[in-house]
Amino acid sequence: MSIHEVFMPALSSTMTEGKIVSWVKSPGDKVEKGETVVVVESDKADMDVETFYEGFLAHIIVEAGETAPVGSAIAFIAETEAEIEQAKSLANSSGAAATPTSSPEPVAATASAATPALASQNGSNHKEGRLVASPRARKLAKELKVDLTTLQGSGPHGRIVAEDVEALSNKGKQPAPAPVAPPAPVPTSAPVAPPAPRTPAPAPVAAAVPGQTVPLTTFQNAVVRNMVATISVPVFRVGYTITTDGLDKLYKQIKSKGVTMTALLAKAVAVTLQKHPLLNASYSDQGIVYHSDINISVAVAMDDGGLITPVLQNADAVDIYSLSRTWKSLVERARAKQLQPQEYNSGTFTLSNLGMFGVDKFDAILPPGQGSILAIGASRPQVVATPDGLFGVRQQMQVNITSDHRIIYGAHAAAFLQDLAKLIETNPQSLTL
């Protein structure tokens, strides 16, 4: 008997359970090697889970909308159609807990924005030219009788999304065929629930009812676990006031070129970290881990109540214009739950900016696996004493750094803030070089 279990994969280093967003295949459907069978919501993103085996989806153990621990069985795949009933019997007799005679089926997980033709981290064989479409797009294509091979996807890396199908249906005409190979078979039944939309439009959130207990989302549970993990870390905080007149002037000059203030601040921090590698380091049981790259994580609030930190990789070495374009793309894909794992778990230093909400100052909680996080408040006009003994008005913001006291001491953090302030106050133009 050749029956294989499909397990809930670990889609990130912090994931302990996953939620089934939708089954792309239905029981009895034929599945090809490397084909997406289910969309899983991890603690960071919606991911396509692919099979390494050809066969038939025999039985679904965990239905759409339900959660399962990492490593638990969520479905059975039979290599032949004749074994489908055997798989069902096996599931019913064992309560979906028995181990089939064959080895468990490995699965590959790729972000919903995964690039066609790239192999997944554990060996999935994506083929060049394979059509990539979201489950929602496939469902709409079936309902509206749209041929997906005639569409050029507008999603990340050419992925076909629901908006592409709707746009074609509204126009009532087929565009020129896209240069892709014939797609994998369209599922005979639609997914139960679509993944998050591609655009960062606010997700509908149920209104809170007094007296009601609302379960935490997967994202919120991930935040809870991370925050609890930081309790055992001894931290300290250092505050600093930075005059931002020069930075504000620079921002006004280059804002029209697509530069964001977030990118400017991340760039300033990254350049300063070049002089302070200890602030970019992290603690391990073996000692201090000095990271070779300066990757700036920036906290972003999700529409459904979660929190994610997209990463601007090598922020010290990337020009400000490219950095701003990257940041805009990261935010859009973060809110659509389409980030690749390395785009949210490779940070070495974190920024948390509440200045846009008018917050003067706050303390940020240190993320697990990092040595420091910088909390940034609003820039406000302040009356200050000038060097000539007079009074003047300056734009100033307050920043507070939280650091791991096991490896970083007060003098280290203070020196870093001093150099950061010097860069922003006296030489912000260097950030555009």
Side-chain angles (χ1 to χ4, degrees):
M1 181 173 65
S2 300
I3 299 174
H4 311 278
E5 285 181 324
V6 178
F7 289 102
M8 177 64 73
L11 305 179
S12 74
S13 59
T14 59
M15 178 176 169
T16 59
E17 64 178 19
K19 180 180 179 181
I20 303 298
V21 176
S22 63
W23 283 96
V24 180
K25 293 291 187 178
S26 298
D29 284 353
K30 184 76 168 64
V31 295
E32 302 291 339
K33 185 178 180 180
E35 185 177 14
T36 298
V37 293
V38 62
V39 179
V40 172
E41 179 187 280
S42 73
D43 56 359
K44 303 293 185 182
D46 288 353
M47 311 287 277
D48 293 346
V49 177
E50 304 170 351
T51 175
F52 281 169
Y53 290 98
E54 292 185 7
F56 297 85
L57 182 60
H59 180 73
I60 292 176
I61 300 172
V62 183
E63 297 290 345
E66 298 178 354
T67 60
V70 168
S72 63
I74 59 176
F76 284 122
I77 285 183
E79 289 191 2
T80 66
E81 199 167 7
E83 292 172 322
I84 292 178
E85 291 303 320
Q86 292 177 298
K88 291 180 180 179
S89 299
L90 177 63
N92 292 333
S93 63
S94 63
T99 302
T101 55
S102 64
S103 59
E105 181 204 2
V107 292
T110 56
S112 294
T115 307
L118 288 181
S120 68
Q121 292 180 349
N122 51 0
S124 176
N125 60 340
H126 277 294
K127 295 182 179 179
E128 183 73 36
R130 184 173 74 87
L131 182 142
V132 181
S134 70
R136 175 62 176 165
R138 291 182 183 274
K139 177 181 178 181
L140 284 178
K142 181 179 180 181
E143 294 174 350
L144 301 175
K145 294 180 171 53
V146 171
D147 184 358
L148 289 175
T149 62
T150 63
L151 286 174
Q152 179 68 54
S154 64
H157 307 292
R159 181 181 177 86
I160 297 173
V161 294
E163 290 89 338
D164 300 326
V165 179
E166 292 170 345
L168 177 61
S169 177
N170 292 336
K171 288 181 179 179
K173 61 181 180 180
Q174 300 283 336
V180 294
V186 177
T188 56
S189 63
V192 176
R198 178 176 58 87
T199 56
V205 180
V209 178
Q212 180 186 26
T213 299
V214 179
L216 295 175
T217 65
T218 305
F219 269 36
Q220 290 170 326
N221 274 315
V223 173
V224 170
R225 289 192 297 271
N226 285 341
M227 296 305 99
V228 170
T230 66
I231 293 177
S232 61
V233 177
V235 298
F236 69 97
R237 299 170 178 87
V238 178
Y240 209 97
T241 300
I242 301 177
T243 299
T244 63
D245 292 286
L247 185 68
D248 294 337
K249 181 179 179 181
L250 173 64
Y251 176 58
K252 290 178 181 178
Q253 291 173 347
I254 60 179
K255 180 180 179 181
S256 61
K257 298 180 181 179
V259 174
T260 67
M261 180 57 77
T262 295
L264 277 172
L265 292 170
K267 179 75 171 180
V269 167
V271 170
T272 306
L273 285 172
Q274 291 177 333
K275 301 178 181 179
H276 300 272
L278 183 60
L279 273 293
N280 192 55
S282 58
Y283 171 85
S284 76
D285 291 337
Q286 289 72 41
I288 302 174
V289 180
Y290 286 94
H291 302 288
S292 57
D293 298 324
I294 297 177
N295 299 334
I296 306 298
S297 302
V298 185
V300 173
M302 302 291 287
D303 297 317
D304 61 0
L307 180 71
I308 195 169
T309 53
V311 179
L312 288 166
Q313 298 183 11
N314 299 301
D316 59 319
V318 178
D319 68 87
I320 191 62
Y321 305 102
S322 298
L323 203 64
S324 294
R325 289 193 295 271
T326 299
W327 176 245
K328 290 178 181 178
S329 173
L330 285 170
V331 171
E332 178 180 343
R333 289 184 289 114
R335 288 177 174 160
K337 299 182 181 180
Q338 293 178 340
L339 290 179
Q340 296 282 2
Q342 68 271 17
E343 293 178 316
Y344 58 74
N345 64 12
S346 60
T348 58
F349 187 103
T350 296
L351 296 184
S352 182
N353 184 6
L354 293 180
M356 70 283 292
F357 296 105
V359 173
D360 291 319
K361 66 177 182 179
F362 66 101
D363 293 328
I365 298 177
L366 184 68
Q370 293 187 19
S372 296
I373 180 173
L374 186 67
I376 301 175
S379 179
R380 299 184 182 280
Q382 303 287 346
V383 177
V384 299
T386 62
D388 55 9
L390 301 177
F391 289 98
V393 177
R394 300 286 186 269
Q395 288 289 132
Q396 293 186 329
M397 69 178 182
Q398 297 186 55
V399 299
N400 285 275
I401 192 169
T402 301
S403 296
D404 186 340
H405 213 333
R406 293 173 296 184
I407 60 173
I408 301 168
Y409 305 144
H412 300 137
F416 166 79
L417 293 177
Q418 190 176 45
D419 283 344
L420 176 64
K422 182 178 179 181
L423 171 63
I424 291 176
E425 293 175 352
T426 65
N427 194 23
Q429 291 289 340
S430 66
L431 299 176
T432 63
L433 301 179

